[in-house]
Amino acid sequence: MKNNSFTNQNKKQDCFDLIIVGGGPAGITAGIYAARQGIKTLLITKEFGGQVLKKAGMIENYPGFKEISALDLIKKFENHLKKFESQGKIKIAFENVGKIKKDNNYFSILTENKKEYKSRAVIVATGADPRPLEVPGEKEFIGKGVSYCVTCDGACFQNKNVAVIGGGESGFEAAIFLANFAKKIYVLEYSPYIKATMDNQKKAKNTGKIEIITLAEVKEIRGENFVNSIIYQDLKTKENKTLNVNGVFIEIGNQPATSLVKGLAKFDHLINNLDEIAIDPRTCATSTPGLFAAGDVTDVAFKQIIVACGEGSKAAMSAFKYLQ
Amino acid sequence: MKNNSFTNQNKKQDCFDLIIVGGGPAGITAGIYAARQGIKTLLITKEFGGQVLKKAGMIENYPGFKEISALDLIKKFENHLKKFESQGKIKIAFENVGKIKKDNNYFSILTENKKEYKSRAVIVATGADPRPLEVPGEKEFIGKGVSYCVTCDGACFQNKNVAVIGGGESGFEAAIFLANFAKKIYVLEYSPYIKATMDNQKKAKNTGKIEIITLAEVKEIRGENFVNSIIYQDLKTKENKTLNVNGVFIEIGNQPATSLVKGLAKFDHLINNLDEIAIDPRTCATSTPGLFAAGDVTDVAFKQIIVACGEGSKAAMSAFKYLQ
């Protein structure tokens, strides 16, 4: 009898009005709004920050902060949310979510640790993960020279030669950041064009350490215990070439982290040529009633911190209306 | 000849790629984004802040600042934008815009001082103005007891009796703010319900100075040189009643400041029962090519600072694409 009531109580505790999955700008903003609206809310994330943490340059376009590091901005976001946690207005769980299902009017959120949470509404704000290069050697050398996060791993390459794959904005920011540590940085770009801003191209040049190679298709990452080289094809001459590097930073864009809701929400492939969660851009509603999505996991046209925050706020207010 | 070239030069200076009209959260964010994208941009506003400046309570839902006054947040936004002005990346003009026209591919922005600026793209971010009550005495006593801005005028009512018209969130915030100065505050609400959050209702009660009157229809504002009373009808008893007050703060919502683009952009009346600029919610594009709109002047579903910022960012990025 006592056991039973304990179980019931436990079940009750794991049942919420709203569960927000994700702890980046969209998820945190949704959490702030939900907490202030008095919705019984759980926010589940493996960590705070999302892709923002991987940003190497300073952030100059989040209104209110002239210039702030990704880490500092995320810390401010996190502390803002935790104010409401300390007031008992929101719960936060640090877990990996494996799957989201809907039965009747309730959503089940299943974590990788086999925990189950239930709620009447869900906001998916899982952001995006780095897109892999998909060449031989990439997977096996992850953590042994291959990295998708220059701010996490860059400092390990003191006085080494490294390669950055991708000549877009984030590739250049990664290279400029790496110039603080590495001896020499190659930036390899598949297309004939550099897509980074002139500003970042100038900064890269000023380091005196960065060499840009366009029309370069990476074929393989090689090494023994650790990366020691990459092979790329020069697309002009069709020749295969070798660069001796110990680090390979892959910066070729992101792919939305949609796996949780595969089969549950409709995706949209048209806007950004990626499988993103299709949302009503006014309300952040998905094709499934009660399921909302916000930020880079959706087909929102622009992937920016301030846009993700605005979308998170919309999603929380829409969820509030839905719950009423 | 010299005169001519001077005139030409002047004309050149007044021609931009993008003109942003409005200096609230949407306009400032659009300005930050446009400046960083290297668009030749002019931002025109009569002042910075927009409706935010009229907000009486603390702001607790702009991510990154746990709790900040409207004035402080706007100052941070303004300084952020002015960083780019000091780098020559954006121009700012403090003027009232009277009208926006489009001839061929150019927009003309006509100020109330008869100045004319030209641009290839425009972002309208003019926000909203307080909605008037439209009762006898309202217009004639503006500045003589009638106010739409409690943060501007509240402190003038030290130890006086005042009325706040509107029992929504902003009405309650106004009343709580006024409790710092006034002797007694009446909050008059037309409907039978109070729409403010429980949190604000509690705060209001705790002041010990605020009396809520529901089902009250204001009929007239009376005075001699200055307001001395208001007449309202008690909708239960149909009786007219008098309150002796020296201040009347009108907090019955906003109306979008759309007059600049009447006839130029399509309006949408459906979403919020107000004539708002209809936008494509993905891009902030209006019905007129090259004309974008962001924030509370549009039919965006939620009027929030963080939402307006996100929309301003979208509008600037869409304008950038359009200009290319």
Side-chain angles (χ1 to χ4, degrees):
Chain A
M1 204 35 203
K2 209 178 174 188
N3 243 341
N4 231 345
S5 101
F6 182 70
T7 314
N8 280 338
Q9 207 185 330
N10 247 5
K11 270 194 184 155
K12 247 188 195 163
Q13 280 186 335
D14 291 342
C15 197
F16 296 84
D17 287 332
L18 173 65
I19 292 178
I20 299 163
V21 185
I28 291 176
T29 306
I32 290 169
Y33 268 80
R36 293 192 76 235
Q37 282 161 328
I39 307 175
K40 192 183 172 198
T41 304
L42 171 71
L43 185 146
I44 311 180
T45 186
K46 59 181 173 201
E47 64 179 352
F48 283 114
Q51 294 123 268
V52 180
L53 287 185
K54 297 190 175 135
K55 201 178 150 48
M58 295 297 279
I59 294 165
E60 292 185 282
N61 58 9
Y62 185 81
F65 300 100
K66 282 184 208 173
E67 192 176 291
I68 188 166
S69 73
L71 208 66
D72 286 348
L73 184 62
I74 285 301
K75 201 75 209 163
K76 282 182 190 290
F77 280 11
E78 183 184 334
N79 289 339
H80 194 160
L81 183 69
K82 283 185 171 166
K83 181 182 96 170
F84 297 109
E85 187 193 25
S86 72
Q87 295 170 351
K89 291 180 179 170
I90 189 165
K91 290 201 184 232
I92 300 170
F94 292 97
E95 291 193 65
N96 268 325
V97 173
K99 197 74 197 160
I100 302 175
K101 294 191 302 179
K102 191 180 184 187
D103 301 310
N104 299 318
N105 287 320
Y106 275 85
F107 290 90
S108 290
I109 283 78
L110 304 156
T111 73
E112 288 181 356
N113 289 335
K114 312 279 175 214
K115 269 203 95 164
E116 183 177 359
Y117 299 98
K118 284 188 176 287
S119 65
R120 288 164 56 211
V122 169
I123 296 173
V124 179
T126 41
D129 297 316
R131 194 157 72 83
L133 200 51
E134 290 175 358
V135 298
E138 178 182 18
K139 267 191 193 163
E140 73 188 272
F141 287 112
I142 287 177
K144 296 169 188 164
V146 171
S147 169
Y148 304 87
C149 179
V150 76
T151 55
C152 317
D153 304 320
C156 305
F157 294 85
Q158 199 77 39
N159 232 9
K160 307 272 187 194
N161 293 346
V162 298
V164 172
I165 316 303
E169 203 64 359
S170 64
F172 267 71
E173 286 183 356
I176 295 160
F177 182 81
L178 285 164
N180 294 311
F181 317 103
K183 188 162 71 184
K184 165 101 189 182
I185 304 116
Y186 301 96
V187 175
L188 278 71
E189 167 59 38
Y190 182 89
S191 81
Y193 312 108
I194 291 302
K195 291 161 205 149
T197 56
M198 283 309 299
D199 199 37
N200 272 331
Q201 291 189 45
K202 264 185 225 160
K203 278 187 197 163
K205 201 177 171 187
N206 290 343
T207 66
K209 291 180 168 186
I210 296 172
E211 183 181 334
I212 318 291
I213 308 173
T214 55
L215 289 167
E217 183 181 357
V218 177
K219 291 290 187 185
E220 196 183 339
I221 298 168
R222 287 189 185 166
E224 289 187 33
N225 296 321
F226 213 87
V227 168
N228 60 29
S229 63
I230 56 171
I231 314 294
Y232 73 93
Q233 188 179 52
D234 180 331
L235 295 173
K236 267 174 301 193
T237 62
K238 302 289 167 194
E239 238 181 302
N240 274 358
K241 292 182 176 173
T242 302
L243 292 173
N244 294 321
V245 293
N246 296 116
V248 181
F249 290 89
I250 296 166
E251 296 282 352
I252 55 168
N254 293 311
Q255 54 191 16
T258 53
S259 60
L260 301 184
V261 290
K262 220 156 250 176
L264 185 60
K266 275 194 191 140
F267 289 173
D268 172 3
H269 197 88
L270 292 177
I271 296 186
N272 301 305
N273 293 321
L274 289 165
D275 270 333
E276 298 170 317
I277 301 177
I279 54 162
D280 173 341
R282 286 190 193 282
T283 62
C284 293
T286 70
S287 57
T288 298
L291 183 68
F292 302 86
D296 289 12
V297 75
T298 74
D299 58 1
V300 67
F302 303 102
K303 314 300 198 214
Q304 296 286 321
I305 297 173
I306 190 68
V307 172
C309 289
E311 299 291 300
S313 158
K314 286 183 193 173
M317 287 184 290
S318 297
F320 182 67
K321 279 192 182 176
Y322 171 82
L323 288 167
Q324 283 184 323
Chain B
M1 201 42 198
K2 208 179 172 187
N3 242 342
N4 232 346
S5 100
F6 182 69
T7 315
N8 280 340
Q9 207 187 328
N10 246 4
K11 268 192 185 156
K12 246 189 196 163
Q13 281 187 332
D14 290 343
C15 197
F16 296 84
D17 287 332
L18 173 65
I19 293 179
I20 299 163
V21 185
I28 291 176
T29 306
I32 290 169
Y33 268 79
R36 294 192 76 236
Q37 282 161 327
I39 307 174
K40 192 183 172 196
T41 305
L42 171 71
L43 186 146
I44 311 180
T45 186
K46 57 181 178 206
E47 64 179 352
F48 283 114
Q51 294 123 267
V52 181
L53 287 185
K54 296 188 177 137
K55 200 176 151 49
M58 295 297 278
I59 294 165
E60 293 185 279
N61 58 8
Y62 185 80
F65 300 100
K66 282 185 209 173
E67 192 176 290
I68 188 167
S69 74
L71 210 65
D72 287 347
L73 185 62
I74 285 301
K75 202 74 209 162
K76 282 182 190 289
F77 280 12
E78 184 183 336
N79 289 338
H80 194 160
L81 183 68
K82 283 185 170 164
K83 181 182 95 168
F84 297 108
E85 187 194 26
S86 72
Q87 294 170 353
K89 291 181 179 169
I90 190 166
K91 288 198 186 239
I92 300 170
F94 292 96
E95 292 194 66
N96 268 325
V97 172
K99 195 76 197 161
I100 302 174
K101 294 191 302 181
K102 191 179 184 187
D103 301 309
N104 299 319
N105 287 321
Y106 275 84
F107 291 92
S108 290
I109 283 79
L110 304 155
T111 74
E112 289 180 356
N113 290 334
K114 311 277 175 218
K115 269 205 95 165
E116 184 177 358
Y117 299 97
K118 283 187 177 291
S119 65
R120 288 164 56 212
V122 169
I123 296 173
V124 179
T126 42
D129 298 317
R131 193 157 73 84
L133 201 51
E134 290 175 356
V135 298
E138 178 182 18
K139 267 193 193 162
E140 72 190 274
F141 288 112
I142 287 176
K144 298 168 187 164
V146 171
S147 169
Y148 304 87
C149 178
V150 76
T151 54
C152 318
D153 304 321
C156 305
F157 294 86
Q158 199 76 41
N159 232 7
K160 306 272 189 193
N161 293 346
V162 298
V164 172
I165 316 302
E169 203 64 357
S170 64
F172 267 71
E173 286 184 356
I176 295 160
F177 181 80
L178 284 163
N180 294 311
F181 317 102
K183 188 162 71 184
K184 165 103 190 180
I185 304 116
Y186 301 97
V187 175
L188 279 73
E189 166 59 38
Y190 182 89
S191 81
Y193 313 107
I194 291 302
K195 290 161 208 151
T197 55
M198 282 310 299
D199 199 37
N200 272 331
Q201 291 190 44
K202 264 185 225 161
K203 278 187 197 164
K205 200 176 174 190
N206 289 343
T207 67
K209 290 178 166 186
I210 296 172
E211 183 180 333
I212 318 291
I213 308 173
T214 54
L215 288 167
E217 183 180 359
V218 178
K219 290 290 187 185
E220 196 182 340
I221 299 169
R222 287 187 185 166
E224 289 186 33
N225 295 321
F226 213 88
V227 168
N228 60 31
S229 63
I230 57 171
I231 314 294
Y232 73 93
Q233 189 179 53
D234 179 329
L235 295 172
K236 265 172 304 193
T237 63
K238 302 290 168 196
E239 237 180 303
N240 274 359
K241 293 181 176 175
T242 302
L243 291 174
N244 294 319
V245 293
N246 295 116
V248 182
F249 289 88
I250 296 165
E251 297 282 353
I252 55 168
N254 293 311
Q255 54 190 16
T258 53
S259 61
L260 301 184
V261 290
K262 220 157 251 175
L264 185 61
K266 275 193 192 141
F267 290 175
D268 172 2
H269 196 88
L270 292 177
I271 296 187
N272 301 305
N273 292 321
L274 290 165
D275 270 333
E276 298 170 315
I277 301 176
I279 54 163
D280 173 341
R282 285 190 194 281
T283 61
C284 293
T286 71
S287 58
T288 299
L291 183 69
F292 302 86
D296 289 12
V297 75
T298 74
D299 58 1
V300 67
F302 303 102
K303 314 298 198 214
Q304 297 286 322
I305 297 173
I306 189 69
V307 173
C309 289
E311 299 291 301
S313 157
K314 286 184 194 174
M317 287 185 289
S318 297
F320 182 67
K321 280 193 183 177
Y322 171 82
L323 289 165
Q324 282 184 325

